[in-house]
Amino acid sequence: MKKIFAWIVAFALCFSLLLTGCNEFSGNYSRQLTAEELDTKLSGADLEDFDSAASGTEVTGYQMKFDTGISISVKVDETDTEMEIDGNGEVKYTFGEEGFALYSKAETIQSGNDETTELHYVDGVLYTKIDAKRNGLSYSEKTKQEIPSYIFDFSDTQAVTIDVGDLLEAVRTGGAQAYCDATDGNKIKIVLDGNTFLSELKGFLQNVVPFEMNFQIGKCVAETYLKLREDGTLCGYKIHVDLEANIAAEESQQQVAASLIVKLNTQITEFGGKISAPSDAASYAE
């Protein structure tokens, strides 16, 4: 049973990484776009737009906020097991004259275990603070390390996203619908069709779970919001996923039934603030 449950958990975690109310993204998305219109609008847009300062603007960085909730209930024959995984956090980073700087804080809660990791990277020094509670025992650590050249990658932020190219392809093939704001054509909303989403998820599931499963989505909301500058580059991104599904399978003559609930949100917006070292930087051990 532990092996079967581990596969289900692995699937849930991987799925949460596969996919991400803010007034900045609210609007009247009543005008539907054709695939050709969407292709034209997004011809200059890429998630890599968030990897550097925006040219021609005063924006020197970006901020991200994310939260993910996964609830799993598994029944193998007559034995029930439940697990909840929650995560949330924020990331801020800048590309100012003083060089790259970053702040991030992420919390993960799983089966009563809680871990919070906080990072500051300022002036070539990485400050790391970890506070954790595992099996009733508390753990805390603060360290610092000189890293003159910090290699930053967008994927390191833990922001859950769907690539712009994948969104375009979904609209081209009829697996998603695209809309733009009635008064601001640079604000776009893309809604994934439930059947397409299920098909993509089944294909992904085959790479994660080593036995055949019957998979049925009871509820699926997957929406992505894109905000463009006048030059067509991205200046805002938001994804919202709300999934409820039932899974049935048979493994080693055991009947497996599981219910899965996934809720996640990620949003990326411009950031013009300053990032500083922690106020108690002197207490961090080298």
Side-chain angles (χ1 to χ4, degrees):
M1 175 180 171
K2 289 183 178 179
K3 184 178 180 181
I4 294 173
F5 186 61
W7 284 332
I8 301 262
V9 172
F11 158 64
L13 288 172
C14 291
F15 169 68
S16 71
L17 295 175
L18 179 69
L19 298 174
T20 119
C22 177
N23 290 334
E24 190 164 343
F25 297 96
S26 62
N28 177 17
Y29 294 94
S30 57
R31 184 193 161 201
Q32 186 167 354
L33 299 173
T34 65
E36 292 75 17
E37 289 175 320
L38 182 65
D39 196 5
T40 299
K41 284 183 175 292
L42 299 184
S43 60
D46 194 291
L47 289 178
E48 292 184 359
D49 295 339
F50 297 118
D51 286 346
S52 60
S55 60
T57 73
E58 297 181 356
V59 178
T60 58
Y62 298 94
Q63 60 183 347
M64 308 178 188
K65 296 182 179 180
F66 61 91
D67 63 83
T68 302
I70 302 172
S71 178
I72 310 167
S73 177
V74 181
K75 183 174 183 178
V76 180
D77 290 336
E78 299 302 321
T79 304
D80 296 318
T81 305
E82 295 184 358
M83 171 176 276
E84 291 189 5
I85 305 169
D86 296 293
N88 63 83
E90 64 173 326
V91 180
K92 299 177 182 178
Y93 57 101
T94 59
F95 308 92
E97 296 179 357
E98 300 176 358
F100 177 75
L102 176 141
Y103 169 79
S104 72
K105 183 176 182 179
E107 179 182 23
T108 302
I109 303 172
Q110 179 178 341
S111 300
N113 295 326
D114 188 344
E115 180 171 319
T116 300
T117 301
E118 192 170 1
L119 303 177
H120 294 76
Y121 179 74
V122 180
D123 297 331
V125 180
L126 177 65
Y127 302 86
T128 303
K129 179 181 179 182
I130 299 175
D131 290 308
K133 183 178 180 181
R134 301 177 186 133
N135 300 321
L137 300 177
S138 297
Y139 169 80
S140 182
E141 180 183 59
K142 293 192 295 184
T143 60
K144 61 182 177 182
Q145 179 183 5
E146 289 190 11
I147 305 179
S149 180
Y150 189 92
I151 300 176
F152 172 74
D153 187 89
F154 177 73
S155 61
D156 294 338
T157 62
Q158 300 183 43
V160 179
T161 60
I162 299 177
D163 186 71
V164 173
D166 292 338
L167 293 170
L168 273 169
E169 183 62 22
V171 175
R172 290 192 191 103
T173 58
Q177 301 294 324
Y179 306 86
C180 71
D181 184 83
T183 58
D184 185 351
N186 287 330
K187 295 172 68 174
I188 299 169
K189 175 182 178 180
I190 299 175
V191 181
L192 285 172
D193 176 78
N195 291 327
T196 299
F197 192 71
L198 175 59
S199 298
E200 293 182 1
L201 196 55
K202 280 184 175 178
F204 176 76
L205 183 61
Q206 291 175 354
N207 296 323
V208 179
V209 181
F211 53 86
E212 189 67 27
M213 293 183 123
N214 296 317
F215 190 81
Q216 183 178 6
I217 287 182
K219 176 182 180 182
C220 177
V221 177
E223 301 174 337
T224 303
Y225 297 82
L226 307 174
K227 187 176 180 182
L228 307 175
R229 300 186 182 90
E230 290 302 322
D231 64 358
T233 58
L234 283 172
C235 62
Y237 184 104
K238 177 184 176 182
I239 184 168
H240 167 68
V241 174
D242 189 349
L243 170 74
E244 296 181 7
N246 294 315
I247 302 171
E250 183 175 345
E251 170 66 5
S252 300
Q253 297 182 342
Q254 291 181 310
Q255 297 297 319
V256 182
S259 63
L260 173 67
I261 299 175
V262 177
K263 298 179 184 293
L264 66 88
N265 296 277
T266 294
Q267 65 180 37
I268 309 170
T269 55
E270 295 175 339
F271 176 68
K274 181 178 174 61
I275 296 172
S276 303
S279 57
D280 58 345
S283 66
Y284 282 64
E286 295 185 1

